[in-house]
Amino acid sequence: MSVNADKMVRVFERPRSLTDAQFSYCPGCHHGLVTRIVAQTIDELGIQDRTVIVAPVGCAVTMYEWFRCDGIQAAHGRACAVATGIKRVNPNLIVFTYQGDGDLAAIGTAESIHAANRGENITVVFINNQIYGMTGGQMAPTTLVGQRTTSCPDGRNAQLAGYPIRFAEMIAQLDAPVYVTRQALYDQKRIMAASRAIKKAFQCQVEGKGYSLVEVLTNCPTNWRMSPAQSNSHLMDEVVRAFPLGDLVDRD
Amino acid sequence: MPKGTVAIDQERCKGCGLCIAFCPEDVLAYSAEYNRSGYNVVYMKEPERCIGCAFCAQTCPDIAIEVYRERKPRQR
Amino acid sequence: MAEAAICAGCRAYFGYPITPQNEILEYMAARMPAVGGAFVQAESEVAAINMCYGASAAGVRTMTSSSSPGISLKMEGISYLAAADLPCVIINVARGGPGLGNIAPAQGDYFQATKGGGHGDYRMIVLGPATIAEAIEIVMLAFDLADKYRVPVMVLSDGMLGQMMEPIKLAEPVDPGLLPAKPWALTGASGRRPNAVTSYAMDPRDLNRINTKRQTRYRQIEEKEVRYRETETSDATIVVVAYGTVARIARTTVKMARSQGIKLGLVQPITLWPFPYAPLRALSNQVNTIITVEMSAGQMVEDVRLAVCDRAETPFYGELGGLVPTPKDILREVQRNVS
C-alpha cells in the first residue's frame, strides 16, 4: 500500500535500535509493547552503542536478539547479579535487566532485592503477568488469590500459597533505590504513562543517579485463556486492585 | 482527503485485534486474508475516517503498523 | 592467592563469607578497590558466581572463591560459564564434608570439581596446589589458561593451605590493559555487530555443533595442558599418588622410606583435570603397586585405576572427616604393601 509521501508525513515507525526480527511472543502479548517502548527509549537517549541487555529465562529469553545492542542471557533469577557484575566493571555501559515475575520475584528474589539495596546503577524492567508464561501458565508469586492456573487449578488458595507479592512496594522500602514505579498497558493513557516512566528510569541510570525499577502489569492471553482485548479489561478491573499503579519512589 | 492513514505489515500482524479495539474511529477490522503464518490480518475497513492518532500503532505488540498524518500546508 | 590474582590482572572479585577462605574475601575487600577493580560481597555464592558471569562477559579477568558448600551453590553458574565459553577463576578452599561438615582440610570435592558438579557436558580445568608457592604460580596460570581456552578454571586447595603462612616471591604484575583483546566481550555494540553471551540454543543441531566445537577444545587441553610432578620415581619399586596437601606430606614419606631402603616414588598431579594418565600408565610397567592417598573416601583413585588398569595393584588409603594423614601414616601403608 503506497502512501502519498508528499501529502503524508510518517508519525509512527519502528524504533531504530530494533532489528527487523519478528518477536516470538504470542498474539496480543504486552511483552511486545514493553520491548518496543524500551527500544524507543534507547533511540531517544542515544545509548544504543553502550546498552547491554540482560535477558531472563522466560518468554523474553532471546529478546536481546531483537536489539542492535550487546546482550547476555542470565540463569533463571540471576539477571540482577549478572547486571551487577557487568555494571561494576564497566560503569559506562547502560545495563538493564528484563525479567518476568517468576524470574525476579520467585527464584531471583535475593538477587533482585540486594541489587536494589546496594543501589546498583542499573534499570530493572519487571514484567508482571501474574503467571509463569513460558512454561505454560503455572502459579507465580504474583498470582491473584482465587486465580486459576495450571498449578493451582482450583484458584490460588491464600492459606496454602499466600498472597500476591507486591515487589515494587518491597523495593520501595529500601533507602538506595532512586525511582520505583508500577505501570500498565491496558489502554492508550497507560501506554503513554508507561513510556514516560521507562524513559525516566533509563535517564536515572544515564545520569548516574542509581537504581530504578519499572514494574509493568502485563497480560498473558494464552495462559489466561482470554482474548487480548478481554485481558486488557481483566487488568483494568481485577489486577490493578491487587497491584496499584503509580510512582512509589522518586528521588530523581 | 482523510487526515491520516496507516500501513499494516501483513506478515508481522498476528491478528490479535488490539488495534481494532483501540481505534477511536472504528477504522480497522479483520480482513478476509490470512498471512503466511496463518494469522487473520487486519485492514482499514473505513480508511477515510482515519485521523492519524496512532493509537493502533501504540498498542500493536508486533510493531506491524506505521502511521501517516496529512502534511499541513504550514509544515515545510 | 588473592594477591597473585591481582598480579595476574584480575580486576573483578565477587565473594561470600565461608570458612576457611574468608581471608581471600577480606584481602580483596581492601585491595581490589585500591587497584581500581570491582569488589562486591554478594548476598550468596549463587549471586557471586553470576556476578562473575556478568563481569567476565564484559571482558574483565574475574575471580570468586568459596569452600565446598559454597562451591556446591555455584555449580549451576559454573555450568553457565562453561556453556557460554566464559573464562573465570574459582578458588575452592575445600573443607570437611558432606553437608555442613567442618572447617578442617579435606579432598572430598574431587569428583565435583573434575567430573562436572553442574549439569551438562562440560569440563573445568582443575589445578591442585600443594604449597603456597605453588598456589601463587597456579593462580597466575589459572587466569592464563581460562583466557586461552575460554573455560572456567578451578584452583582446588584445602583448609590446610588456607590457614598457612609461607614466604613467597610474587611474579611481575600483569597490566590488564595489555592482555590479549576479547572481541567477543560485551563492551557496547559501537561500530560493530552486537555481541551476545548465551548458552541457549533451542535447535538441537545448533547445540550439537556448539558442544562438539567445545569438546574439541577440551581434547586440546587434554593434549597440551597436563601438569604433574614426579619425585624419585626413576628407580622406584613402589609409588604413591597424591595431590595438594597430601602430596606435600608424602614428600616427607618418600625420604623416610628411602632411609629404610624402600625405593618409594611420588607422583603429584597438579592438573586434576586434565588428569596425568600417561605418567601413571608408564610407571605401572615399572612397579607392582601404586598407592593412592587422599583425604576422602577415594575419588582420585578412580582416575589412577583408569590409568593403571590391572597392570599393577592400586590400593587406596584415605582419611575422612577432615583428619590429615601424617608422613608415618602413609609410610605404614607403604610398608604394608611392600611386604
Side-chain angles (χ1 to χ4, degrees):
Chain A
M1 199 184 83
S2 72
V3 172
N4 194 327
D6 55 1
K7 291 239 174 13
M8 293 286 183
V9 58
R10 181 159 45 186
V11 292
F12 191 98
E13 60 188 328
R14 189 177 186 80
R16 290 185 310 282
S17 51
L18 286 178
T19 67
D20 291 334
Q22 286 199 264
F23 298 157
S24 56
Y25 300 122
C26 306
C29 173
H30 285 164
H31 261 301
L33 297 185
V34 181
T35 303
R36 188 204 73 230
I37 292 169
V38 166
Q40 276 166 336
T41 301
I42 289 172
D43 285 1
E44 282 157 26
L45 298 178
I47 51 176
Q48 177 186 311
D49 58 3
R50 62 188 180 106
T51 294
V52 175
I53 300 163
V54 184
V57 169
C59 294
V61 65
T62 59
M63 60 167 291
Y64 53 85
E65 286 174 1
W66 305 328
F67 285 81
R68 298 181 201 281
C69 307
D70 280 355
I72 183 169
Q73 196 275 314
H76 192 38
R78 316 308 172 196
C80 285
V82 173
T84 298
I86 296 169
K87 188 73 178 189
R88 287 295 182 111
V89 298
N90 188 350
N92 175 53
L93 293 173
I94 300 303
V95 183
F96 75 93
T97 75
Y98 185 102
Q99 303 171 257
D101 31 22
D103 194 279
L104 181 116
I107 189 171
T109 305
E111 284 80 2
S112 308
I113 288 178
H114 286 283
N117 198 49
R118 289 190 302 266
E120 300 293 348
N121 187 25
I122 59 174
T123 302
V124 174
V125 178
F126 166 30
I127 305 298
N128 174 359
N129 61 4
Q130 303 93 55
I131 47 96
Y132 283 79
M134 165 75 91
T135 46
Q138 294 77 15
M139 178 176 71
T142 47
T143 296
L144 305 183
V145 173
Q147 177 180 350
R148 291 175 194 280
T149 74
T150 56
S151 58
C152 59
D154 300 328
R156 180 175 189 171
N157 175 340
Q159 276 56 46
L160 298 176
Y163 297 87
I165 199 166
R166 279 185 275 282
F167 204 79
E169 281 77 355
M170 281 169 57
I171 295 293
Q173 307 309 313
L174 305 173
D175 295 338
V178 169
Y179 181 56
V180 178
T181 181
R182 179 178 295 118
Q183 302 289 326
L185 301 164
Y186 53 76
D187 64 28
Q188 203 272 337
K189 273 208 303 294
R190 297 287 158 269
I191 292 175
M192 298 312 290
S195 304
R196 281 192 300 275
I198 287 175
K199 183 170 183 181
K200 184 178 167 74
F202 274 84
Q203 251 157 341
C204 278
Q205 180 174 173
V206 168
E207 290 156 16
K209 293 203 170 106
Y211 176 90
S212 53
L213 167 76
V214 182
E215 177 178 341
V216 187
L217 292 188
T218 61
N219 65 356
C220 184
T222 301
N223 289 307
W224 289 3
R225 299 205 175 3
M226 293 177 192
S227 76
Q230 285 165 335
S231 70
N232 277 340
S233 317
H234 175 67
L235 280 164
M236 188 156 48
D237 305 337
E238 304 294 329
V239 180
V240 166
R241 290 217 305 274
F243 296 102
L245 300 180
D247 290 357
L248 296 152
V249 169
D250 188 352
R251 299 190 179 97
D252 177 2
Chain B
M1 229 280 284
K3 289 201 193 58
T5 187
V6 297
I8 299 175
D9 180 326
Q10 301 296 308
E11 286 314 313
R12 281 186 191 281
C13 173
K14 292 179 182 168
C16 77
L18 281 176
C19 55
I20 298 171
F22 269 59
C23 176
E25 304 298 329
D26 293 332
V27 171
L28 302 170
Y30 282 108
S31 71
E33 310 299 321
Y34 289 81
N35 66 16
R36 269 201 308 275
S37 312
Y39 291 120
N40 182 199
V41 293
V42 171
Y43 81 118
M44 293 179 79
K45 183 156 154 275
E46 313 281 353
E48 69 293 345
R49 290 168 51 181
C50 174
I51 57 173
C53 67
F55 280 19
C56 57
Q58 281 163 10
T59 189
C60 175
D62 287 281
I63 325 177
I65 304 172
E66 283 196 342
V67 181
Y68 298 83
R69 207 169 286 154
E70 189 188 17
R71 192 183 293 276
K72 296 282 178 304
R74 280 172 287 98
Q75 269 173 326
R76 288 288 159 281
Chain C
M1 282 199 274
E3 187 54 34
I6 290 195
C7 284
C10 171
R11 287 300 179 271
Y13 173 85
F14 308 99
Y16 187 82
I18 182 168
T19 304
Q21 58 82 56
N22 299 310
E23 294 74 9
I24 297 178
L25 174 76
E26 290 156 359
Y27 186 89
M28 284 298 200
R31 190 80 175 97
M32 192 54 93
V35 296
F39 169 87
V40 176
Q41 179 183 310
E43 57 274 23
S44 75
E45 289 93 345
V46 176
I49 192 74
N50 280 284
M51 290 177 190
C52 289
Y53 181 80
S56 173
V60 169
R61 282 193 158 184
T62 302
M63 182 171 94
T64 187
S65 62
S66 187
S67 175
S68 309
I71 297 292
S72 293
L73 288 173
K74 293 180 193 288
M75 279 298 141
E76 183 202 34
I78 288 171
S79 173
Y80 268 73
L81 285 166
D85 299 319
L86 288 176
C88 187
V89 173
I90 302 118
I91 296 182
N92 176 9
V93 184
R95 58 186 259 173
L100 187 57
N102 58 33
I103 60 170
Q107 296 183 325
D109 301 356
Y110 180 91
F111 281 157
Q112 178 190 56
T114 60
K115 306 301 176 189
H119 60 286
D121 281 311
Y122 76 92
R123 305 309 291 260
M124 187 166 51
I125 294 177
V126 183
L127 303 162
T131 67
I132 302 282
E134 260 179 36
I136 304 302
E137 269 170 47
I138 275 177
V139 166
M140 306 281 287
L141 174 65
F143 278 100
D144 290 340
L145 291 176
D147 277 358
K148 180 177 173 186
Y149 293 100
R150 289 178 63 183
V151 288
V153 176
M154 174 173 282
V155 176
L156 183 55
S157 172
D158 62 56
M160 174 73 84
L161 211 58
Q163 304 300 327
M164 212 182 276
M165 304 264 281
E166 277 180 319
I168 44 113
K169 191 178 71 53
L170 270 177
E172 259 314 297
V174 162
D175 174 354
L178 304 178
L179 289 169
K182 294 178 177 174
W184 47 266
L186 306 179
T187 53
S190 170
R192 62 166 169 73
R193 287 168 46 79
N195 283 336
V197 171
T198 178
S199 53
Y200 182 72
M202 206 47 171
D203 183 335
R205 285 163 300 183
D206 292 336
L207 195 54
N208 179 288
R209 179 175 42 78
I210 291 164
N211 287 353
T212 305
K213 217 173 89 181
R214 187 174 307 115
Q215 289 296 325
T216 53
R217 267 209 325 277
Y218 290 153
R219 298 297 85 75
Q220 283 166 7
I221 294 172
E222 284 166 344
E223 258 167 53
K224 298 193 199 121
E225 304 298 348
V226 173
R227 287 168 172 80
Y228 57 93
R229 172 176 290 125
E230 291 190 58
T231 309
E232 307 213 29
T233 52
S234 51
D235 66 343
T237 56
I238 182 166
V239 165
V240 160
V241 184
Y243 74 93
T245 294
V246 180
R248 178 195 185 111
I249 296 164
R251 283 182 201 150
T252 308
T253 306
V254 168
K255 292 194 185 76
M256 294 164 74
R258 292 267 169 180
S259 66
Q260 296 177 2
I262 302 171
K263 289 193 172 126
L264 175 64
L266 167 67
V267 173
Q268 172 201 348
I270 292 172
T271 54
L272 302 178
W273 188 79
F275 188 76
Y277 293 110
L280 287 176
R281 196 170 303 126
L283 279 169
S284 65
N285 300 322
Q286 172 186 324
V287 300
N288 298 331
T289 307
I290 296 179
I291 309 170
T292 306
V293 183
E294 296 174 75
M295 292 190 289
S296 76
Q299 296 185 23
M300 181 178 67
V301 63
E302 293 193 2
D303 277 319
V304 172
R305 285 172 180 155
L306 275 176
V308 173
C309 300
D310 55 6
R311 282 188 293 277
E313 294 301 316
T314 50
F316 169 72
Y317 163 49
E319 288 295 349
L320 301 182
L323 287 181
V324 180
T326 65
K328 277 202 191 60
D329 294 332
I330 301 175
L331 183 59
R332 193 179 58 252
E333 289 306 312
V334 169
Q335 288 161 339
R336 213 156 52 78
N337 280 283
V338 166
S339 56

